[in-house]
């Protein structure tokens, strides 16, 4: 019978002891790494809340100043500030793990606030007076802003004092059984705010988020048959670029564009019931320092659109906030830019990941149009442009109007006497000057006013 010698036994025990020590050390290292990653994520959420609070304070202050502004120059300056801060607020909300709250109305409110202020600024610049209704609307917008600011302040204070953590919030938002816990009560204010838009004023103005445009039924989806939730889940997985079995149901939306909604960890996706078309994608994460260029980001955004089956687009303007670039793409038909058919794609500039996609404008307006030849020539249209402007580029474009109609125009990108970038739109059928826009261009993107 073979027996283990005393020396062999000591070796075995020593080996097992060393193995246990190594495994324990590896486990400790793994735990510390996980804890470090968790803390890093928590700090990134805290930074997003702090930045969101800064933007909301700035918005509140700007709205207060706006009550007392009397000149077009001051109103324009305040409107541009609002536009920048509302975009910043949306970007920071998108970085928080709040997908389960479905803050669609909150996003719309912030979008409308900036655009509505810009529309009033343009009106005053054109020598028109602000109406009593518009003043009342701005007052209402200010009240909604104060309510949102209060919720943000409560959230920031709760996280900073350690009352709650985003780890707890994330867990509890995904588990309705924990709805009475302290952490989720912090979120109740956001829920109530989101549900409190029944008395929100209808805002009709010359801008992309005007209610008369947002409430327009989709012409692209008209006549399409409804898909099943299973089919929609497959479409959602393609949009999110993950497996379909990882997409969890997140309810339906039976609004102006009925959708199936899905979630997967920090990702939210919406797909139309009619036709199973992609509506939006939103991924929440902290974006590190910029490592890819704007040009590469545009290329990645275009590749993504091709992957999900959307083509014939041209990029127009972009904006960078929170190290995320959001690029506007418009439909291109016969080399004519159709601005109403708009898709927005957001790209993380640290690694090129697609963090956002919004095709609501495209789904609402897109059809293949019958475009008649212009009644006036390009040369005749050029003569309609002010001689004080130097034309740099020219092309045909179809632009939307507040009456829900579209107009075929010659678009002239010009330089002003003081170096300004100016867009002039001359109606290609009547020769009328339809629109003049000022392009504010800097390292963070392009804003039109």
């Amino acid at each position: 019978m073979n027996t283990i010698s005393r020396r062999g036994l000591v070796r075995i025990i020593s080996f097992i002891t060393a193995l246990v020590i190594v495994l324990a050390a590896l486990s400790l290292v793994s735990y510390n790494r996980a804890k470090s990653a968790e803390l890093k994520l928590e700090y990134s959420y805290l930074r997003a809340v702090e930045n969101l609070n800064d933007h909301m304070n700035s918005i509140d202050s700007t709205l207060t100043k706006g009550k007392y502004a009397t000149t077009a120059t001051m109103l324009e300056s305040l409107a541009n500030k609002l536009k920048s801060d509302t975009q910043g607020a949306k970007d920071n909300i998108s970085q928080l793990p709040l997908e389960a709250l479905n803050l669609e109305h909150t996003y719309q409110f912030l979008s409308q606030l900036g655009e509505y202020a810009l529309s009033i600024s343009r009106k005053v610049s054109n020598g028109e007076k602000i109406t009593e209704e518009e003043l009342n609307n701005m007052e209402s917008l200010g009240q909604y802003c104060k309510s949102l600011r209060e919720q943000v302040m409560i959230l920031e204070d709760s996280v900073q004092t350690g009352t709650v953590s985003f780890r707890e919030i994330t867990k509890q938002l995904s588990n309705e059984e924990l709805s009475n816990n302290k952490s989720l009560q912090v979120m109740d204010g956001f829920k109530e705010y989101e549900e409190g838009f029944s008395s929100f004023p209808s805002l009709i103005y010359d801008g992309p988020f005007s209610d008369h445009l947002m409430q327009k039924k989709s012409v692209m989806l008209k006549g399409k048959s409804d898909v099943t939730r299973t089919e929609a889940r497959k479409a959602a997985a393609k949009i999110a670029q993950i497996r379909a079995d990882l997409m969890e149901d997140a309810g339906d939306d039976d609004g102006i564009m009925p959708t199936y909604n899905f979630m997967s960890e920090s990702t939210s996706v919406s797909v139309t019931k009619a036709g199973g078309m992609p509506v939006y994608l939103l991924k929440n994460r902290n974006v590190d320092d910029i490592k890819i260029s704007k040009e590469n980001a545009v290329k990645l955004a275009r590749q993504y659109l091709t992957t999900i089956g959307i083509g014939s687009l041209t990029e127009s303007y972009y904006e960078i906030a929170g190290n995320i670039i959001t690029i506007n793409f418009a439909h291109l038909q016969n080399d004519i830019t159709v601005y109403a058919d708009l898709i927005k794609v957001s790209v993380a500039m640290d690694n090129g990941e697609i963090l956002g996609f919004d095709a609501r404008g495209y789904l609402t307006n897109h059809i293949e149009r019958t475009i008649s030849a212009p009644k006036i020539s390009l040369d005749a249209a050029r003569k309609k442009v002010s001689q004080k402007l130097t034309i740099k580029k020219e092309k045909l474009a179809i632009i939307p109007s507040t009456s829900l109609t579209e107009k075929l125009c010659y678009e002239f990108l010009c330089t002003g006497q003081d170096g300004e970038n100016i867009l002039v739109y001359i109606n290609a059928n009547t020769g009328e000057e339809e629109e003049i826009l000022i392009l504010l261009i800097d390292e963070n993107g392009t804003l039109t006013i």
Side-chain angles (χ1 to χ4, degrees):
M1 181 177 179
N2 293 329
T3 58
I4 300 174
S5 67
R6 179 182 178 85
R7 179 177 295 178
L9 184 62
V10 169
R11 286 177 178 173
I12 291 173
I13 293 173
S14 298
F15 174 77
I16 292 173
T17 302
L19 181 61
V20 169
I21 292 172
V22 169
L23 290 175
L26 289 173
S27 177
L28 181 61
V29 169
S30 178
Y31 172 80
N32 287 335
R33 284 179 177 172
K35 198 68 178 175
S36 175
E38 184 180 309
L39 286 173
K40 184 178 179 181
L41 186 61
E42 193 77 15
Y43 287 141
S44 74
Y45 288 148
L46 178 57
R47 281 199 304 273
V49 173
E50 290 173 343
N51 291 337
L52 174 59
N53 193 32
D54 288 342
H55 284 300
M56 293 310 302
N57 286 334
S58 180
I59 290 169
D60 187 44
S61 173
T62 302
L63 285 171
T64 301
K65 295 174 184 177
K67 292 180 183 179
Y68 310 110
T70 58
T71 65
T73 303
M74 178 55 71
L75 281 171
E76 180 183 311
S77 173
L78 294 174
N80 288 331
K81 177 66 174 163
L82 273 178
K83 173 71 174 177
S84 174
D85 279 321
T86 52
Q87 182 61 49
K90 288 191 295 180
D91 289 337
N92 281 284
I93 290 176
S94 72
Q95 294 174 36
L96 298 173
L98 306 178
E99 303 88 353
L101 296 180
N102 295 321
L103 300 176
E104 181 179 349
H105 292 124
T106 302
Y107 278 103
Q108 182 178 336
F109 157 69
L110 289 168
S111 296
Q112 286 190 322
L113 175 57
E115 293 293 343
Y116 192 61
L118 281 172
S119 73
I120 291 178
S121 168
R122 286 194 290 265
K123 184 176 179 179
V124 173
S125 295
N126 291 333
E128 300 177 59
K129 290 187 177 181
I130 302 175
T131 66
E132 190 68 27
E133 180 183 3
E134 288 167 338
L135 288 172
N136 291 336
N137 284 341
M138 288 304 296
E139 186 68 29
S140 295
L141 288 168
Q143 293 303 317
Y144 276 89
C145 172
K146 289 183 184 297
S147 297
L148 179 56
R149 180 183 169 219
E150 288 174 5
Q151 302 308 325
V152 174
M153 289 175 65
I154 292 171
L155 176 60
E156 181 184 33
D157 182 66
S158 298
V159 176
Q160 283 182 335
T161 58
T163 306
V164 299
S165 70
F166 275 102
R167 183 170 178 268
E168 294 172 317
I169 290 171
T170 303
K171 283 184 176 180
Q172 293 171 32
L173 282 177
S174 62
N175 189 343
E176 293 182 359
E177 293 179 4
L178 299 176
S179 60
N180 293 322
N181 281 12
K182 188 188 302 179
S183 296
L184 195 54
Q185 288 174 4
V186 177
M187 296 293 98
D188 286 344
F190 282 93
K191 284 185 178 179
E192 292 173 7
Y193 182 80
E194 179 68 15
E195 294 166 358
F197 278 88
S198 58
S199 59
F200 190 69
S202 180
L203 302 177
I204 308 299
Y205 58 95
D206 185 13
F209 296 98
S210 175
D211 281 326
H212 79 296
L213 297 177
M214 298 291 283
Q215 293 167 7
K216 178 184 175 184
K217 287 192 175 183
S218 170
V219 295
M220 185 177 178
L221 301 178
K222 186 177 180 180
K224 290 187 179 295
S225 301
D226 284 1
V227 299
T228 65
R229 180 172 281 280
T230 300
E231 291 170 326
R233 181 179 287 104
K234 291 179 181 178
K238 185 176 181 180
I239 300 164
Q241 300 181 314
I242 60 176
R243 297 199 321 265
D245 62 315
L246 298 177
M247 301 302 300
E248 298 179 0
D249 293 348
D252 297 6
D253 186 345
D254 293 319
I256 198 72
M257 189 183 295
T259 60
Y260 294 113
N261 304 318
F262 302 93
M263 287 181 59
S264 177
E265 296 183 349
S266 62
T267 302
S268 298
V269 183
S270 180
V271 175
T272 62
K273 291 184 177 180
M277 302 297 293
V279 180
Y280 70 78
L281 160 77
L282 182 63
K283 290 185 179 181
N284 295 323
R285 74 167 176 85
N286 183 53
V287 179
D288 295 327
D289 295 339
I290 293 176
K291 295 178 182 176
I292 66 172
S293 67
K294 173 246 179 182
E295 290 73 21
N296 283 338
V298 171
K299 187 182 296 183
L300 290 168
R302 183 175 287 283
Q303 289 173 354
Y304 172 76
L305 290 172
T306 300
T307 299
I308 64 174
I310 301 176
S312 299
L313 297 169
T314 181
E315 64 269 15
S316 52
Y317 308 121
Y318 71 93
E319 184 170 29
I320 298 174
N323 296 343
I324 299 172
I325 181 171
T326 299
I327 307 136
N328 292 331
F329 289 89
H331 177 57
L332 197 63
Q333 182 177 332
N334 301 330
D335 290 326
I336 299 173
T337 304
V338 184
Y339 283 112
D341 298 10
L342 181 69
I343 292 179
K344 295 186 177 186
V345 181
S346 297
V347 182
M349 298 187 77
D350 55 354
N351 65 2
E353 182 183 11
I354 304 299
L355 297 183
F357 166 84
D358 187 343
R360 282 174 288 188
Y362 186 83
L363 294 174
T364 298
N365 300 298
H366 178 61
I367 53 172
E368 285 298 309
R369 293 154 173 87
T370 300
I371 306 174
S372 301
K375 292 181 180 179
I376 69 167
S377 67
L378 175 58
D379 187 56
R382 284 195 199 103
K383 294 176 181 177
K384 298 285 185 177
V385 178
S386 170
Q387 293 182 356
K388 296 178 180 179
L389 296 173
T390 301
I391 297 174
K392 295 162 59 179
K393 292 182 181 179
E394 51 198 24
K395 66 178 181 179
L396 277 171
I398 293 176
I399 65 172
S401 71
T402 53
S403 61
L404 293 181
T405 60
E406 296 180 335
K407 297 178 180 180
L408 178 64
C409 295
Y410 290 105
E411 177 187 270
F412 296 97
L413 175 61
C414 309
T415 303
Q417 289 180 319
D418 296 322
E420 313 100 316
N421 290 286
I422 309 289
L423 281 174
V424 179
Y425 292 90
I426 304 297
N427 193 304
N429 292 314
T430 66
E432 293 293 322
E433 198 172 46
E434 291 289 350
E435 183 70 88
I436 297 177
L437 297 175
I438 302 172
L439 294 179
L440 302 181
I441 303 173
D442 61 22
E443 68 276 7
N444 293 319
T446 304
L447 177 67
T448 59
I449 61 173

